[in-house]
Amino acid sequence: MTKTSSSPPVISSPNLIQQSFPGLYSFWKFSRPHTIIGTSLSVLGVYLIAMSEFRQFPGFSWNGLALFFSWLACICGNIYIVGLNQLEDIEIDQINKPHLPLAAEEYSRFQAQLIVGITGILALSIAAFQGYYLLGMVGISLFLGTIYSLPPIRLKRFPFWAAFCIFTVRGIIVNLGLYLHFSWLLSGKSLSLIPTIPPSVWALTLFILVFTVAIAIFKDIPDLEGDRQFQINTLTIKLGTVTVFNISRWILTLCYLGMILGSFTLQSSVNSLFLGLSHFILLAVLWWRSLSIDLSQKQSIAQGYQFIWKLFFLEYLIFPLSCLFT
């Protein structure tokens, strides 16, 4: 799998919206839709897993409202992180991702700063209102997102630390933090009950952790020209496109093999047949799709990278279903 723009070109929104509501479309691009979808599904997926553990089901109740505000805090944090990255990468994006609002001069620097500031404040404020587990998760995510992009630290300059920020937030902090938050809510916000993390959540966390390592190193393949010009060292620059592509594919393969084998050890909390079979099918589709990617064609790489994100999205549907089907 591979991608050609630093991230997948915007997951298409209808042309009608683009033409009729250009401001909304610019904000849609600025928010990096693939990350918004990923964040939304992770919130919903972890909530469903927590429900399966507590055997509670959503309704028009406080828990349903809390789910919405938890999602909103995460989305605001997401926009803050990706927006800050764009603010610091305008010149690079003019080469690698000229369709983004700042690079295309659809937004001024002040407008972007305003959006980033407002969403950052909203993320922390809403999370604080919801509870300390969510506040901790959002706060740590925003901190890592800030030092990833913002000078003088700017960890994105270093391949290991750039990947560390991405897989730590997506793989560990989001999954464990959200589960602790939702289990605390579903237990009636009991301060005397310390939530415990079940094996199913650890398994999902490990899968997503390793999966996002592949995303983190793969996302720089299409940005070779801009990254080299602005001295952003990436594995693609160091090792080459083909090597990084193969590393990413094998990391994803190990993810699926691990989940297939691990499904038999999680029988008490998941439907092991459903979980194992679905991941076997996805592994086969992964290899079939990867063989059709032409690494000399940016469009082909971009489509491959979008496909990886679709696999990521599917995990937050398949895994919770396997828990609910027990």
Side-chain angles (χ1 to χ4, degrees), residues 10-308:
V10 183
I11 293 176
S12 285
S13 85
N15 286 333
L16 180 61
I17 295 178
Q18 181 177 355
Q19 295 169 4
S20 304
F21 305 98
L24 180 61
Y25 184 66
S26 292
F27 182 74
W28 174 245
K29 293 190 293 180
F30 185 76
S31 69
R32 310 302 280 134
H34 63 290
T35 67
I36 293 294
I37 295 171
T39 296
S40 299
L41 288 174
S42 65
V43 172
L44 177 61
V46 175
Y47 182 65
L48 292 175
I49 294 172
M51 280 171 37
S52 74
E53 290 290 328
F54 284 83
R55 292 298 162 188
Q56 294 187 29
F57 297 93
F60 294 103
S61 63
W62 165 249
N63 285 339
L65 193 60
L67 170 62
F68 170 77
F69 282 111
S70 299
W71 168 82
L72 186 60
C74 292
I75 290 300
C76 288
N78 194 128
I79 296 172
Y80 167 86
I81 291 171
V82 299
L84 182 63
N85 186 57
Q86 290 172 70
L87 270 168
E88 296 301 323
D89 283 0
I90 297 175
E91 293 82 6
I92 299 175
D93 287 343
Q94 286 172 344
I95 298 172
N96 293 334
K97 298 184 286 290
H99 64 280
L100 293 179
L102 276 167
E105 299 184 348
E106 296 171 15
Y107 278 174
S108 67
R109 178 177 286 274
F110 175 75
Q111 287 175 308
Q113 289 172 336
L114 193 62
I115 294 172
V116 168
I118 291 173
T119 53
I121 292 170
L122 282 175
L124 292 171
S125 301
I126 296 170
F129 175 74
Q130 284 295 293
Y132 50 86
Y133 284 117
L134 187 64
L135 178 60
M137 188 217 81
V138 170
I140 295 172
S141 298
L142 264 59
F143 171 74
L144 289 176
T146 299
I147 64 174
Y148 173 86
S149 297
L150 204 62
I153 299 177
R154 196 161 163 78
L155 292 179
K156 71 173 296 178
R157 296 176 297 162
F158 313 105
F160 171 79
W161 290 111
F164 173 83
C165 288
I166 295 171
F167 68 66
T168 298
V169 172
R170 284 281 178 192
I172 300 175
I173 295 171
V174 167
N175 292 299
L176 299 186
L178 282 174
Y179 183 81
L180 289 172
H181 172 63
F182 288 136
S183 61
W184 176 68
L185 288 178
L186 293 171
S187 66
K189 299 186 178 181
S190 172
L191 295 177
S192 61
L193 179 63
I194 300 176
T196 57
I197 298 175
S200 58
V201 176
W202 284 114
L204 175 64
T205 299
L206 181 60
F207 180 94
I208 296 297
L209 173 65
V210 180
F211 198 102
T212 49
V213 171
I215 290 178
I217 64 175
F218 191 96
K219 78 179 188 66
D220 296 316
I221 292 177
D223 297 339
L224 182 63
E225 181 183 348
D227 289 344
R228 178 180 287 147
Q229 182 172 330
F230 287 88
Q231 299 180 332
I232 303 293
N233 289 322
T234 64
L235 283 181
T236 304
I237 291 175
K238 292 176 178 295
L239 303 178
T241 299
V242 175
T243 300
V244 172
F245 173 80
N246 286 326
I247 290 174
S248 299
R249 179 166 55 182
W250 279 109
I251 289 175
L252 294 174
T253 299
L254 290 175
C255 282
Y256 284 108
L257 289 175
M259 190 61 81
I260 292 168
L261 297 175
S263 65
F264 298 102
T265 68
L266 299 170
Q267 294 182 6
S268 61
S269 54
V270 304
N271 184 315
S272 57
L273 178 61
F274 175 79
L275 189 66
L277 181 59
S278 60
H279 283 80
F280 177 80
I281 293 172
L282 290 178
L283 175 59
V285 173
L286 165 69
W287 273 87
W288 169 77
R289 181 66 182 84
S290 70
L291 294 175
S292 68
I293 295 173
D294 183 353
L295 294 177
S296 66
Q297 297 293 325
K298 275 195 144 190
Q299 184 62 29
S300 179
I301 297 174
Q303 292 171 351
Y305 185 68
Q306 290 179 25
F307 179 73
I308 292 180

